[in-house]
């Protein structure tokens, strides 16, 4: 009994925080999404309805935000995986200075999104270093046809270091006798990679895909900063979370924002299940 | 004599050595190419931060003349001094609170028996799945009601302890053998004393990893400061918020913008260089177990 008392005392504050600021808001957010809700709270005389969801369904801006978000995720995650795996493989080869290179590649991942994005705005500005090197004057973030892809490039650059760490950890857990067997068999490095290493990394692929896929769906900071808080030009940098932010803080439509939050949450949740199902089956087959 | 003839009979040995050398060269070329790609932006940033405004329009790598003017003006005139203090205050407070509450709760979930423990732990796991972006509007509405918008305590309150941290600490405590606690129990130590005197010191590496990652997370946080302080509370801006504001307002003041970016990165870079080991082990451990 004494033990139980101390147990409750120790978990009391953490559980209160989780309940009050995570679990209750989840329920409360769903509640808000069914009402007309402004800056002063629930509109006078408002009754529960699915009006906010209809609004979303008919809002081309919301569609655009979803499309941007999925396009971004579909591009950035494979790019991060390819870059991260490539660097991990090179570093995993027993080269001199590997600790240095590992830290060097991981470094952009620890820098804040605001700083990294500011640096990217500088490098990619029309008179910037990148244009100077390739001899153009493209406004990478200022042109609706390149803005999204520029953010993809920016985030692939900063996040692949973290992906590399996960792949490195996975590579180091592959027993070396697997490779010795392949070497005895005279298998060439390229084939060894595709036949042995790549399939053995399946748990890591799955993990990275889910974690960084979900992360990509929640993208906000970089889009917000490169567009100076507008989502432009022409909604090309409006992500789903950015849409929620704008509905709430620019238009004071908390109800619509909350319903967009619910849609995004469902999308993330379904994606987790889908990835689990497909990758899980591939693993069996 | 015999040996040379053996070597001659196996011509593939030298060829193999050669292909090994080729492989190494290729790997190094790839490494250096990547390093250039990763590093050029930072080198360019550092160089620009020491340039004058007119000089920043040119592509000379070495500043001409070299000046620390941009650093000084960002720090003093653009109020980064205040932003740095705000960020430091929030990061230290949130990190300490997370360390204490996550380890205390993690210890209870790992070691103490109490009715309903499994159900409560399921709630912790459920909390892990709730994205910050989903709680954005409800939390904002709640904090508005309580007059905690534009207030540091609002930020601290919603970040008191995270489920990831608690889960991470619990997992670490599970790996510690029970012998130490048994000994403490025989000495008549209570549960809090056992946690404080025995378990916390034994969890050193986990504590270090958590402290570093949480400090980094709060220092780098852009989202919540924007939501809570972004609407007209300029004196509460954090480093990241102040930097974003600077890029919006002074779009081609490159030396200042680059100096500001480097200031926003600097503390994390220092911690990273000193505690690399914990950074890397922390990221992979939190990721793989979480």
């Amino acid at each position: 009994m004494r033990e139980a008392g101390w147990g409750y005392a120790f978990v009391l504050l953490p559980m209160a925080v989780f309940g009050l600021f995570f679990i209750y808001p989840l329920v409360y957010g769903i509640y808000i999404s069914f009402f007309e809700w402004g800056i002063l709270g629930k509109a006078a005389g408002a009754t529960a309805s699915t009006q906010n969801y209809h609004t979303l369904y008919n809002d081309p801006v919301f569609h655009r935000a979803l499309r941007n978000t999925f396009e971004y995720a579909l591009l950035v995650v494979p790019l991060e995986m390819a870059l991260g795996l490539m660097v991990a493989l090179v570093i995993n080869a027993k080269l001199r200075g590997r600790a240095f290179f590992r830290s060097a590649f991981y470094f952009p991942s620890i820098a804040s999104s605001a700083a990294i994005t500011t640096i990217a705005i500088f490098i990619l500005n029309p008179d910037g270093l990148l244009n100077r090197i390739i001899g153009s004057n493209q406004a990478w973030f200022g042109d609706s046809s390149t803005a999204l892809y520029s953010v993809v490039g920016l985030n692939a650059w900063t996040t692949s270091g973290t992906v590399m760490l996960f792949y490195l950890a996975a590579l180091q857990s592959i027993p070396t006798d697997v490779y010795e067997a392949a070497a005895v068999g005279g298998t060439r490095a390229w084939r060894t990679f595709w036949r042995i290493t790549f399939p053995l990394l399946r748990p890591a692929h799955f993990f990275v895909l889910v974690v960084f896929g979900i992360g990509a769906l929640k993208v906000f900071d970089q889009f917000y900063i490169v567009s100076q808080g507008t989502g432009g030009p022409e909604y090309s940098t409006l992500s789903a979370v950015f849409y929620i932010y704008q509905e709430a803080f620019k238009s004071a439509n908390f109800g619509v924002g909350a319903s967009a939050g619910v849609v995004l949450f469902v999308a993330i949740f379904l994606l987790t299940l889908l990835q689990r199902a497909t990758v899980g089956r591939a693993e069996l087959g | 004599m015999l040996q040379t003839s053996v070597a001659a009979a196996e011509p593939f040995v030298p060829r193999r050595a050669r292909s090994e050398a080729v492989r190494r060269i290729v790997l190094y070329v790839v490494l250096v190419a990547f390093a250039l790609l990763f590093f050029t932006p930072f080198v360019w940033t550092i160089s620009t931060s020491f340039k004058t405004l007119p000089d920043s329009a040119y592509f000379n790598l070495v500043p001409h003349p070299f000046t620390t003017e941009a650093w000084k003006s960002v720090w003093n005139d653009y109020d980064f001094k205040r932003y740095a203090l705000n960020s430091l205050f929030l990061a230290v407070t949130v990190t300490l609170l997370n360390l204490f509450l996550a380890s205390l709760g993690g210890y209870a979930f790992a070691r103490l028996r109490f009715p309903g423990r499994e159900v409560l732990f399921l709630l912790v796991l459920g909390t892990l799945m709730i994205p910050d972006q989903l709680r954005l509007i409800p939390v904002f509405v709640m904090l508005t009601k309580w007059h905690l918008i534009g207030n540091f305590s609002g930020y601290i309150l919603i970040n008191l302890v995270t489920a990831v941290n608690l889960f991470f600490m619990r997992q670490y405590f599970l790996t510690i053998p029970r012998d130490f606690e048994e000994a403490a129990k025989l000495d008549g130590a209570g549960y809090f004393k056992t946690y404080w005197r025995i378990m916390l010191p034994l969890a050193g590496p986990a504590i270090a990893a958590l402290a570093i990652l949480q400090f980094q997370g709060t220092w780098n946080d852009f989202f919540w400061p924007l939501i809570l302080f972004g609407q007209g509370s300029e004196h509460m801006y954090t480093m990241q918020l102040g930097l974003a504001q600077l890029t919006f307002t002074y779009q081609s003041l490159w030396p200042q913008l680059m100096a500001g970016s480097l200031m926003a990165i600097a503390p994390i870079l220092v911690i990273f260089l000193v505690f690399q080991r914990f950074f890397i082990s922390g990221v992979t451990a939190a990721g793989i177990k979480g």
Side-chain angles (χ1 to χ4, degrees):
Chain A
M1 196 51 229
R2 221 179 127 247
E3 183 174 345
W6 283 104
Y8 290 127
F10 289 175
V11 302
L12 180 70
L13 214 46
M15 293 316 294
V17 171
F18 299 154
L20 195 57
F21 295 118
F22 288 88
I23 296 166
Y24 172 68
L26 181 71
V27 180
Y28 192 37
I30 296 171
Y31 177 80
I32 292 175
S33 77
F34 286 105
F35 289 95
E36 191 190 333
W37 202 292
I39 190 79
L40 299 170
K42 194 161 45 167
T47 49
S49 77
T50 52
Q51 180 55 46
N52 292 328
Y53 291 92
H54 286 287
T55 306
L56 280 186
Y57 187 78
N58 294 316
D59 185 0
V61 176
F62 181 62
H63 296 181
R64 181 65 198 268
L66 279 186
R67 209 182 75 207
N68 284 343
T69 307
F70 281 105
E71 192 178 353
Y72 165 80
L74 285 174
L75 289 171
V76 83
V77 175
L79 200 57
E80 285 166 358
M81 290 174 78
L83 276 172
L85 179 56
M86 208 145 92
V87 177
L89 284 169
V90 177
I91 287 183
N92 199 45
K94 309 271 178 281
L95 295 175
R96 211 166 302 166
R98 55 189 295 225
F100 167 77
F101 282 111
R102 187 183 63 174
S103 299
F105 291 129
Y106 182 56
F107 172 66
S109 307
I110 65 162
S112 72
S113 56
I116 284 284
T117 310
T118 304
I119 291 173
I121 291 172
F122 172 53
I123 303 281
L124 298 190
N125 88 79
D127 303 315
L129 184 64
L130 180 73
N131 281 329
R132 166 79 177 197
I133 291 170
I134 64 173
S136 84
N137 58 354
Q138 175 69 25
W140 296 96
F141 291 123
D143 180 333
S144 64
S145 64
T146 51
L148 182 76
Y149 306 115
S150 303
V151 180
V152 168
L154 157 63
N155 285 1
W157 168 47
T158 51
T159 318
S160 50
T162 315
V163 176
M164 169 200 75
L165 284 189
F166 291 117
Y167 274 126
L168 264 180
L171 281 171
Q172 274 150 15
S173 71
I174 296 179
T176 47
D177 49 353
V178 173
Y179 292 110
E180 277 156 23
V184 169
T187 319
R188 294 193 142 271
W190 188 244
R191 270 171 72 102
T192 311
F193 171 72
W194 284 112
R195 291 280 184 81
I196 298 173
T197 315
F198 195 79
L200 278 175
L201 286 173
R202 218 174 254 157
H205 297 320
F206 170 65
F207 174 81
V208 170
L209 198 63
V210 172
V211 171
F212 290 84
I214 290 172
L217 292 184
K218 298 193 288 194
V219 68
F220 173 78
D221 300 2
Q222 294 81 1
F223 283 120
Y224 182 88
I225 296 171
V226 297
S227 67
Q228 305 190 8
T230 65
E234 294 151 50
Y235 302 112
S236 58
T237 57
L238 191 71
S239 71
V241 173
F242 203 164
Y243 178 87
I244 300 173
Y245 172 85
Q246 287 208 330
E247 279 304 306
F249 300 106
K250 294 280 182 302
S251 325
N253 285 329
F254 286 83
V256 176
S259 57
V262 172
V263 171
L264 181 65
F265 181 62
V266 171
I268 290 174
F269 193 71
L270 286 180
L271 200 77
T272 317
L273 294 183
L274 185 76
Q275 282 177 334
R276 233 168 254 272
T278 49
V279 180
R281 206 175 323 119
E283 209 152 359
L284 289 174
Chain B
M1 191 62 213
L2 187 68
Q3 264 181 330
T4 46
S5 72
V6 167
E10 293 183 30
F12 68 86
V13 172
R15 201 194 298 156
R16 231 193 185 178
R18 204 185 312 141
S19 84
E20 174 62 22
V22 169
R23 195 181 73 100
R24 269 174 187 269
I25 290 167
V26 169
L27 285 177
Y28 273 115
V29 168
V30 172
L31 261 188
V32 171
F34 268 108
L36 276 179
L37 185 70
F38 273 61
F39 267 141
T40 308
F42 289 112
V43 173
W44 195 236
T45 298
I46 294 169
S47 153
T48 303
S49 77
F50 291 110
K51 285 181 174 182
T52 57
L53 185 58
D55 190 28
S56 71
Y58 296 98
F59 292 89
N60 47 318
L61 184 61
V62 180
H64 184 80
F66 180 94
T67 170
T68 54
E69 221 26 70
W71 287 78
K72 284 184 201 145
S73 80
V74 165
W75 188 249
N76 296 316
D77 310 339
Y78 296 98
D79 244 6
F80 270 49
K81 198 172 8 179
R82 178 193 285 272
Y83 304 156
L85 279 176
N86 288 345
S87 282
L88 191 67
F89 168 71
L90 286 179
V92 168
T93 312
V94 168
T95 303
L96 288 178
L97 285 165
N98 265 274
L99 274 180
F100 179 61
L101 292 174
S103 61
L104 193 64
Y107 167 63
F109 277 118
R111 286 297 205 261
L112 303 184
R113 279 170 309 239
F114 48 95
R117 186 177 79 169
E118 308 313 316
V119 178
L120 288 178
F121 192 64
L122 274 181
L123 283 180
V124 175
L125 293 181
T127 303
L128 277 174
M129 308 258 297
I130 300 173
D132 258 1
Q133 291 74 8
L134 181 71
R135 62 184 187 125
L136 159 63
I137 286 181
V139 161
F140 183 81
V141 169
M142 288 160 66
L143 292 183
T144 307
K145 268 188 203 156
W146 301 340
H147 305 290
L148 288 176
I149 301 294
N151 188 321
F152 283 145
S153 39
Y155 183 90
I156 293 168
L157 206 56
I158 61 170
N159 291 295
L160 268 185
V161 56
T162 67
V164 183
N165 287 340
L166 188 144
F167 183 74
F168 178 68
M169 288 312 299
R170 171 192 179 261
Q171 298 307 94
Y172 194 85
F173 284 133
L174 286 176
T175 66
I176 296 177
R178 284 176 182 272
D179 316 0
F180 300 102
E181 292 149 86
E182 303 298 337
K185 205 173 271 176
L186 289 178
D187 288 344
Y191 290 102
F192 188 79
K193 200 170 176 187
T194 308
Y195 152 77
W196 189 254
R197 288 281 178 78
I198 312 288
M199 294 303 268
L200 266 192
L202 285 172
I207 297 273
L210 191 159
I212 287 166
L213 293 180
Q214 186 58 54
F215 185 90
Q216 180 204 7
T218 309
W219 179 273
N220 285 353
D221 188 11
F222 179 72
F223 190 68
W224 285 110
L226 174 72
I227 307 292
L228 301 182
F229 316 133
Q231 326 268 331
S233 313
E234 210 156 313
H235 61 290
M236 320 204 69
Y237 275 13
T238 60
M239 202 76 161
Q240 314 307 332
L241 209 48
L243 178 61
Q245 198 54 53
L246 194 70
T247 66
F248 292 180
T249 321
Y250 303 98
Q251 289 174 33
S252 48
L253 206 57
W254 300 123
Q256 273 80 352
L257 288 173
M258 294 305 103
S261 300
L262 291 169
M263 281 181 199
I265 298 175
I268 304 300
L269 174 65
V270 171
I271 294 174
F272 176 63
L273 291 178
V274 178
F275 299 106
Q276 263 183 60
R277 192 161 59 92
F278 294 112
F279 247 101
I280 286 170
S281 67
V283 168
T284 43
I288 285 167
K289 286 172 191 158

